[in-house]
PDB file of all heavy atoms in Angstrom:
ATOM      1  N   ASN A   5       0.846  -1.173  -0.001  1.00 97.00           N
ATOM      2  CA  ASN A   5       0.002   0.000  -0.002  1.00 97.00           C
ATOM      3  C   ASN A   5       0.904   1.249  -0.001  1.00 97.00           C
ATOM      4  O   ASN A   5       0.893   2.043  -0.931  1.00 97.00           O
ATOM      5  CB  ASN A   5      -0.912  -0.048   1.223  1.00 97.00           C
ATOM      6  CG  ASN A   5      -1.815   1.159   1.376  1.00 97.00           C
ATOM      7  OD1 ASN A   5      -2.282   1.432   2.462  1.00 97.00           O
ATOM      8  ND2 ASN A   5      -2.082   1.888   0.306  1.00 97.00           N
ATOM      9  N   VAL A   6       1.692   1.358   1.041  1.00 98.00           N
ATOM     10  CA  VAL A   6       2.691   2.415   1.159  1.00 98.00           C
ATOM     11  C   VAL A   6       3.961   1.769   1.697  1.00 98.00           C
ATOM     12  O   VAL A   6       3.911   0.938   2.601  1.00 98.00           O
ATOM     13  CB  VAL A   6       2.215   3.534   2.115  1.00 98.00           C
ATOM     14  CG1 VAL A   6       3.297   4.582   2.313  1.00 98.00           C
ATOM     15  CG2 VAL A   6       0.932   4.179   1.596  1.00 98.00           C
ATOM     16  N   VAL A   7       5.127   2.128   1.151  1.00 98.00           N
ATOM     17  CA  VAL A   7       6.377   1.482   1.545  1.00 98.00           C
ATOM     18  C   VAL A   7       7.483   2.506   1.732  1.00 98.00           C
ATOM     19  O   VAL A   7       7.556   3.491   0.994  1.00 98.00           O
ATOM     20  CB  VAL A   7       6.806   0.422   0.502  1.00 98.00           C
ATOM     21  CG1 VAL A   7       7.053   1.050  -0.870  1.00 98.00           C
ATOM     22  CG2 VAL A   7       8.049  -0.347   0.977  1.00 98.00           C
ATOM     23  N   VAL A   8       8.343   2.273   2.718  1.00 97.00           N
ATOM     24  CA  VAL A   8       9.541   3.083   2.917  1.00 97.00           C
ATOM     25  C   VAL A   8      10.656   2.451   2.100  1.00 97.00           C
ATOM     26  O   VAL A   8      11.052   1.305   2.342  1.00 97.00           O
ATOM     27  CB  VAL A   8       9.951   3.163   4.400  1.00 97.00           C
ATOM     28  CG1 VAL A   8      11.246   3.960   4.542  1.00 97.00           C
ATOM     29  CG2 VAL A   8       8.847   3.800   5.220  1.00 97.00           C
ATOM     30  N   SER A   9      11.147   3.177   1.108  1.00 96.00           N
ATOM     31  CA  SER A   9      12.214   2.692   0.230  1.00 96.00           C
ATOM     32  C   SER A   9      13.488   3.462   0.504  1.00 96.00           C
ATOM     33  O   SER A   9      13.466   4.563   1.062  1.00 96.00           O
ATOM     34  CB  SER A   9      11.810   2.860  -1.245  1.00 96.00           C
ATOM     35  OG  SER A   9      10.658   2.106  -1.553  1.00 96.00           O
ATOM     36  N   LEU A  10      14.601   2.875   0.091  1.00 93.00           N
ATOM     37  CA  LEU A  10      15.906   3.527   0.236  1.00 93.00           C
ATOM     38  C   LEU A  10      16.659   3.395  -1.070  1.00 93.00           C
ATOM     39  O   LEU A  10      16.617   2.336  -1.721  1.00 93.00           O
ATOM     40  CB  LEU A  10      16.702   2.908   1.379  1.00 93.00           C
ATOM     41  CG  LEU A  10      16.072   3.002   2.752  1.00 93.00           C
ATOM     42  CD1 LEU A  10      15.562   1.642   3.172  1.00 93.00           C
ATOM     43  CD2 LEU A  10      17.062   3.528   3.775  1.00 93.00           C
ATOM     44  N   TRP A  11      17.371   4.459  -1.430  1.00 91.00           N
ATOM     45  CA  TRP A  11      18.134   4.432  -2.674  1.00 91.00           C
ATOM     46  C   TRP A  11      19.460   5.154  -2.471  1.00 91.00           C
ATOM     47  O   TRP A  11      19.500   6.261  -1.977  1.00 91.00           O
ATOM     48  CB  TRP A  11      17.363   5.100  -3.812  1.00 91.00           C
ATOM     49  CG  TRP A  11      18.105   5.083  -5.110  1.00 91.00           C
ATOM     50  CD1 TRP A  11      18.867   6.079  -5.653  1.00 91.00           C
ATOM     51  CD2 TRP A  11      18.219   3.968  -5.999  1.00 91.00           C
ATOM     52  NE1 TRP A  11      19.421   5.671  -6.827  1.00 91.00           N
ATOM     53  CE2 TRP A  11      19.027   4.374  -7.069  1.00 91.00           C
ATOM     54  CE3 TRP A  11      17.690   2.667  -5.999  1.00 91.00           C
ATOM     55  CZ2 TRP A  11      19.342   3.516  -8.132  1.00 91.00           C
ATOM     56  CZ3 TRP A  11      17.996   1.827  -7.051  1.00 91.00           C
ATOM     57  CH2 TRP A  11      18.803   2.262  -8.114  1.00 91.00           C
ATOM     58  N   GLY A  12      20.548   4.490  -2.857  1.00 87.00           N
ATOM     59  CA  GLY A  12      21.870   5.092  -2.798  1.00 87.00           C
ATOM     60  C   GLY A  12      22.339   5.448  -4.200  1.00 87.00           C
ATOM     61  O   GLY A  12      22.203   4.635  -5.130  1.00 87.00           O
ATOM     62  N   ALA A  13      22.875   6.638  -4.377  1.00 88.00           N
ATOM     63  CA  ALA A  13      23.340   7.064  -5.702  1.00 88.00           C
ATOM     64  C   ALA A  13      24.412   6.122  -6.212  1.00 88.00           C
ATOM     65  O   ALA A  13      25.346   5.770  -5.480  1.00 88.00           O
ATOM     66  CB  ALA A  13      23.889   8.485  -5.611  1.00 88.00           C
ATOM     67  N   ASP A  14      24.305   5.721  -7.464  1.00 84.00           N
ATOM     68  CA  ASP A  14      25.287   4.819  -8.062  1.00 84.00           C
ATOM     69  C   ASP A  14      26.482   5.573  -8.620  1.00 84.00           C
ATOM     70  O   ASP A  14      27.573   5.018  -8.740  1.00 84.00           O
ATOM     71  CB  ASP A  14      24.636   4.005  -9.178  1.00 84.00           C
ATOM     72  CG  ASP A  14      23.642   2.994  -8.649  1.00 84.00           C
ATOM     73  OD1 ASP A  14      24.021   2.211  -7.767  1.00 84.00           O
ATOM     74  OD2 ASP A  14      22.489   2.990  -9.107  1.00 84.00           O
ATOM     75  N   PHE A  15      26.269   6.828  -9.009  1.00 84.00           N
ATOM     76  CA  PHE A  15      27.356   7.627  -9.553  1.00 84.00           C
ATOM     77  C   PHE A  15      27.044   9.096  -9.266  1.00 84.00           C
ATOM     78  O   PHE A  15      25.886   9.449  -8.985  1.00 84.00           O
ATOM     79  CB  PHE A  15      27.560   7.376 -11.053  1.00 84.00           C
ATOM     80  CG  PHE A  15      26.301   7.440 -11.873  1.00 84.00           C
ATOM     81  CD1 PHE A  15      25.892   8.626 -12.464  1.00 84.00           C
ATOM     82  CD2 PHE A  15      25.520   6.303 -12.054  1.00 84.00           C
ATOM     83  CE1 PHE A  15      24.735   8.685 -13.225  1.00 84.00           C
ATOM     84  CE2 PHE A  15      24.357   6.358 -12.824  1.00 84.00           C
ATOM     85  CZ  PHE A  15      23.963   7.553 -13.414  1.00 84.00           C
ATOM     86  N   PRO A  16      28.049   9.963  -9.304  1.00 84.00           N
ATOM     87  CA  PRO A  16      27.870  11.354  -8.855  1.00 84.00           C
ATOM     88  C   PRO A  16      27.217  12.271  -9.881  1.00 84.00           C
ATOM     89  O   PRO A  16      27.824  13.214 -10.376  1.00 84.00           O
ATOM     90  CB  PRO A  16      29.292  11.783  -8.526  1.00 84.00           C
ATOM     91  CG  PRO A  16      30.143  10.973  -9.437  1.00 84.00           C
ATOM     92  CD  PRO A  16      29.470   9.651  -9.536  1.00 84.00           C
ATOM     93  N   ASP A  17      25.955  12.002 -10.192  1.00 90.00           N
ATOM     94  CA  ASP A  17      25.195  12.845 -11.105  1.00 90.00           C
ATOM     95  C   ASP A  17      23.729  12.716 -10.715  1.00 90.00           C
ATOM     96  O   ASP A  17      23.256  11.613 -10.405  1.00 90.00           O
ATOM     97  CB  ASP A  17      25.404  12.379 -12.549  1.00 90.00           C
ATOM     98  CG  ASP A  17      24.790  13.337 -13.555  1.00 90.00           C
ATOM     99  OD1 ASP A  17      23.574  13.233 -13.826  1.00 90.00           O
ATOM    100  OD2 ASP A  17      25.529  14.204 -14.084  1.00 90.00           O
ATOM    101  N   PRO A  18      22.959  13.813 -10.730  1.00 94.00           N
ATOM    102  CA  PRO A  18      21.564  13.758 -10.300  1.00 94.00           C
ATOM    103  C   PRO A  18      20.705  12.738 -11.053  1.00 94.00           C
ATOM    104  O   PRO A  18      19.735  12.215 -10.509  1.00 94.00           O
ATOM    105  CB  PRO A  18      21.053  15.191 -10.557  1.00 94.00           C
ATOM    106  CG  PRO A  18      22.266  16.036 -10.466  1.00 94.00           C
ATOM    107  CD  PRO A  18      23.385  15.205 -11.041  1.00 94.00           C
ATOM    108  N   ILE A  19      21.085  12.429 -12.282  1.00 93.00           N
ATOM    109  CA  ILE A  19      20.269  11.507 -13.082  1.00 93.00           C
ATOM    110  C   ILE A  19      20.221  10.123 -12.466  1.00 93.00           C
ATOM    111  O   ILE A  19      19.265   9.372 -12.707  1.00 93.00           O
ATOM    112  CB  ILE A  19      20.797  11.449 -14.546  1.00 93.00           C
ATOM    113  CG1 ILE A  19      19.678  11.015 -15.499  1.00 93.00           C
ATOM    114  CG2 ILE A  19      22.007  10.568 -14.664  1.00 93.00           C
ATOM    115  CD1 ILE A  19      18.580  12.034 -15.651  1.00 93.00           C
ATOM    116  N   THR A  20      21.223   9.752 -11.659  1.00 91.00           N
ATOM    117  CA  THR A  20      21.223   8.436 -11.015  1.00 91.00           C
ATOM    118  C   THR A  20      20.008   8.259 -10.129  1.00 91.00           C
ATOM    119  O   THR A  20      19.510   7.152  -9.931  1.00 91.00           O
ATOM    120  CB  THR A  20      22.511   8.225 -10.200  1.00 91.00           C
ATOM    121  OG1 THR A  20      22.539   6.877  -9.690  1.00 91.00           O
ATOM    122  CG2 THR A  20      22.620   9.180  -9.026  1.00 91.00           C
ATOM    123  N   ASP A  21      19.502   9.354  -9.554  1.00 95.00           N
ATOM    124  CA  ASP A  21      18.303   9.313  -8.717  1.00 95.00           C
ATOM    125  C   ASP A  21      17.046   9.630  -9.510  1.00 95.00           C
ATOM    126  O   ASP A  21      16.011   8.962  -9.363  1.00 95.00           O
ATOM    127  CB  ASP A  21      18.434  10.322  -7.565  1.00 95.00           C
ATOM    128  CG  ASP A  21      19.621  10.059  -6.677  1.00 95.00           C
ATOM    129  OD1 ASP A  21      19.857   8.891  -6.325  1.00 95.00           O
ATOM    130  OD2 ASP A  21      20.316  11.021  -6.318  1.00 95.00           O
ATOM    131  N   LEU A  22      17.136  10.620 -10.359  1.00 96.00           N
ATOM    132  CA  LEU A  22      15.948  11.125 -11.045  1.00 96.00           C
ATOM    133  C   LEU A  22      15.360  10.138 -12.043  1.00 96.00           C
ATOM    134  O   LEU A  22      14.147  10.068 -12.229  1.00 96.00           O
ATOM    135  CB  LEU A  22      16.263  12.450 -11.746  1.00 96.00           C
ATOM    136  CG  LEU A  22      16.640  13.612 -10.810  1.00 96.00           C
ATOM    137  CD1 LEU A  22      17.104  14.811 -11.637  1.00 96.00           C
ATOM    138  CD2 LEU A  22      15.446  14.005  -9.953  1.00 96.00           C
ATOM    139  N   GLN A  23      16.206   9.348 -12.705  1.00 93.00           N
ATOM    140  CA  GLN A  23      15.699   8.439 -13.725  1.00 93.00           C
ATOM    141  C   GLN A  23      14.868   7.294 -13.141  1.00 93.00           C
ATOM    142  O   GLN A  23      14.162   6.593 -13.858  1.00 93.00           O
ATOM    143  CB  GLN A  23      16.847   7.875 -14.552  1.00 93.00           C
ATOM    144  CG  GLN A  23      17.842   7.056 -13.786  1.00 93.00           C
ATOM    145  CD  GLN A  23      19.083   6.741 -14.616  1.00 93.00           C
ATOM    146  OE1 GLN A  23      19.083   6.883 -15.822  1.00 93.00           O
ATOM    147  NE2 GLN A  23      20.160   6.319 -13.951  1.00 93.00           N
ATOM    148  N   LEU A  24      14.900   7.134 -11.807  1.00 94.00           N
ATOM    149  CA  LEU A  24      14.112   6.075 -11.178  1.00 94.00           C
ATOM    150  C   LEU A  24      12.621   6.251 -11.373  1.00 94.00           C
ATOM    151  O   LEU A  24      11.870   5.272 -11.324  1.00 94.00           O
ATOM    152  CB  LEU A  24      14.402   6.039  -9.668  1.00 94.00           C
ATOM    153  CG  LEU A  24      15.823   5.786  -9.191  1.00 94.00           C
ATOM    154  CD1 LEU A  24      15.856   5.832  -7.677  1.00 94.00           C
ATOM    155  CD2 LEU A  24      16.349   4.480  -9.704  1.00 94.00           C
ATOM    156  N   PHE A  25      12.176   7.483 -11.576  1.00 97.00           N
ATOM    157  CA  PHE A  25      10.742   7.754 -11.514  1.00 97.00           C
ATOM    158  C   PHE A  25      10.117   8.091 -12.850  1.00 97.00           C
ATOM    159  O   PHE A  25       9.015   8.642 -12.902  1.00 97.00           O
ATOM    160  CB  PHE A  25      10.488   8.826 -10.460  1.00 97.00           C
ATOM    161  CG  PHE A  25      11.053   8.435  -9.124  1.00 97.00           C
ATOM    162  CD1 PHE A  25      12.208   9.017  -8.649  1.00 97.00           C
ATOM    163  CD2 PHE A  25      10.467   7.419  -8.393  1.00 97.00           C
ATOM    164  CE1 PHE A  25      12.767   8.617  -7.445  1.00 97.00           C
ATOM    165  CE2 PHE A  25      11.011   7.007  -7.189  1.00 97.00           C
ATOM    166  CZ  PHE A  25      12.169   7.614  -6.710  1.00 97.00           C
ATOM    167  N   THR A  26      10.799   7.744 -13.936  1.00 96.00           N
ATOM    168  CA  THR A  26      10.141   7.817 -15.226  1.00 96.00           C
ATOM    169  C   THR A  26       9.072   6.720 -15.264  1.00 96.00           C
ATOM    170  O   THR A  26       9.141   5.747 -14.519  1.00 96.00           O
ATOM    171  CB  THR A  26      11.140   7.632 -16.386  1.00 96.00           C
ATOM    172  OG1 THR A  26      11.841   6.392 -16.206  1.00 96.00           O
ATOM    173  CG2 THR A  26      12.125   8.801 -16.425  1.00 96.00           C
ATOM    174  N   SER A  27       8.100   6.900 -16.118  1.00 95.00           N
ATOM    175  CA  SER A  27       6.937   5.991 -16.133  1.00 95.00           C
ATOM    176  C   SER A  27       7.304   4.540 -16.330  1.00 95.00           C
ATOM    177  O   SER A  27       6.632   3.645 -15.800  1.00 95.00           O
ATOM    178  CB  SER A  27       5.965   6.425 -17.234  1.00 95.00           C
ATOM    179  OG  SER A  27       5.507   7.731 -17.003  1.00 95.00           O
ATOM    180  N   ASP A  28       8.358   4.272 -17.103  1.00 89.00           N
ATOM    181  CA  ASP A  28       8.692   2.894 -17.442  1.00 89.00           C
ATOM    182  C   ASP A  28       9.867   2.335 -16.660  1.00 89.00           C
ATOM    183  O   ASP A  28      10.327   1.219 -16.950  1.00 89.00           O
ATOM    184  CB  ASP A  28       8.987   2.784 -18.940  1.00 89.00           C
ATOM    185  CG  ASP A  28      10.138   3.681 -19.380  1.00 89.00           C
ATOM    186  OD1 ASP A  28      10.616   4.488 -18.546  1.00 89.00           O
ATOM    187  OD2 ASP A  28      10.551   3.578 -20.555  1.00 89.00           O
ATOM    188  N   ASN A  29      10.370   3.050 -15.645  1.00 90.00           N
ATOM    189  CA  ASN A  29      11.531   2.547 -14.914  1.00 90.00           C
ATOM    190  C   ASN A  29      11.113   1.431 -13.956  1.00 90.00           C
ATOM    191  O   ASN A  29      10.113   1.546 -13.245  1.00 90.00           O
ATOM    192  CB  ASN A  29      12.219   3.666 -14.137  1.00 90.00           C
ATOM    193  CG  ASN A  29      13.589   3.253 -13.625  1.00 90.00           C
ATOM    194  OD1 ASN A  29      13.716   2.485 -12.679  1.00 90.00           O
ATOM    195  ND2 ASN A  29      14.626   3.748 -14.274  1.00 90.00           N
ATOM    196  N   SER A  30      11.880   0.373 -13.925  1.00 87.00           N
ATOM    197  CA  SER A  30      11.551  -0.793 -13.091  1.00 87.00           C
ATOM    198  C   SER A  30      11.614  -0.485 -11.602  1.00 87.00           C
ATOM    199  O   SER A  30      11.030  -1.223 -10.790  1.00 87.00           O
ATOM    200  CB  SER A  30      12.479  -1.964 -13.415  1.00 87.00           C
ATOM    201  OG  SER A  30      13.832  -1.611 -13.211  1.00 87.00           O
ATOM    202  N   TYR A  31      12.313   0.591 -11.223  1.00 89.00           N
ATOM    203  CA  TYR A  31      12.402   0.947  -9.810  1.00 89.00           C
ATOM    204  C   TYR A  31      11.290   1.902  -9.377  1.00 89.00           C
ATOM    205  O   TYR A  31      11.221   2.275  -8.214  1.00 89.00           O
ATOM    206  CB  TYR A  31      13.758   1.572  -9.502  1.00 89.00           C
ATOM    207  CG  TYR A  31      14.867   0.565  -9.371  1.00 89.00           C
ATOM    208  CD1 TYR A  31      15.747   0.329 -10.422  1.00 89.00           C
ATOM    209  CD2 TYR A  31      15.008  -0.176  -8.204  1.00 89.00           C
ATOM    210  CE1 TYR A  31      16.756  -0.598 -10.297  1.00 89.00           C
ATOM    211  CE2 TYR A  31      16.011  -1.117  -8.083  1.00 89.00           C
ATOM    212  CZ  TYR A  31      16.890  -1.321  -9.130  1.00 89.00           C
ATOM    213  OH  TYR A  31      17.874  -2.265  -9.015  1.00 89.00           O
ATOM    214  N   ASN A  32      10.444   2.286 -10.301  1.00 95.00           N
ATOM    215  CA  ASN A  32       9.313   3.148  -9.974  1.00 95.00           C
ATOM    216  C   ASN A  32       8.211   2.255  -9.394  1.00 95.00           C
ATOM    217  O   ASN A  32       7.202   1.977 -10.046  1.00 95.00           O
ATOM    218  CB  ASN A  32       8.835   3.882 -11.231  1.00 95.00           C
ATOM    219  CG  ASN A  32       7.709   4.856 -10.953  1.00 95.00           C
ATOM    220  OD1 ASN A  32       7.230   4.990  -9.828  1.00 95.00           O
ATOM    221  ND2 ASN A  32       7.268   5.550 -11.999  1.00 95.00           N
ATOM    222  N   ASN A  33       8.427   1.816  -8.161  1.00 95.00           N
ATOM    223  CA  ASN A  33       7.529   0.830  -7.560  1.00 95.00           C
ATOM    224  C   ASN A  33       6.112   1.348  -7.332  1.00 95.00           C
ATOM    225  O   ASN A  33       5.149   0.590  -7.375  1.00 95.00           O
ATOM    226  CB  ASN A  33       8.109   0.341  -6.227  1.00 95.00           C
ATOM    227  CG  ASN A  33       9.438  -0.359  -6.407  1.00 95.00           C
ATOM    228  OD1 ASN A  33       9.606  -1.161  -7.320  1.00 95.00           O
ATOM    229  ND2 ASN A  33      10.410  -0.067  -5.539  1.00 95.00           N
TER     230      ASN A  33
END
């Protein structure tokens, strides 16, 4: 229903975090 998630940046650029929430990203739970 609602979940607490955690994400660590893989590389030093904002896109490492931001690309998670595009409509088709597998991490957009």
Side-chain angles (χ1 to χ4, degrees):
N5 177 201
V6 176
V7 61
V8 177
S9 298
L10 299 107
W11 181 262
D14 290 307
F15 49 92
D17 188 276
I19 204 68
T20 185
D21 300 316
L22 296 173
Q23 62 190 344
L24 300 179
F25 304 105
T26 55
S27 299
D28 59 353
N29 193 286
S30 59
Y31 282 100
N32 183 358
N33 298 316

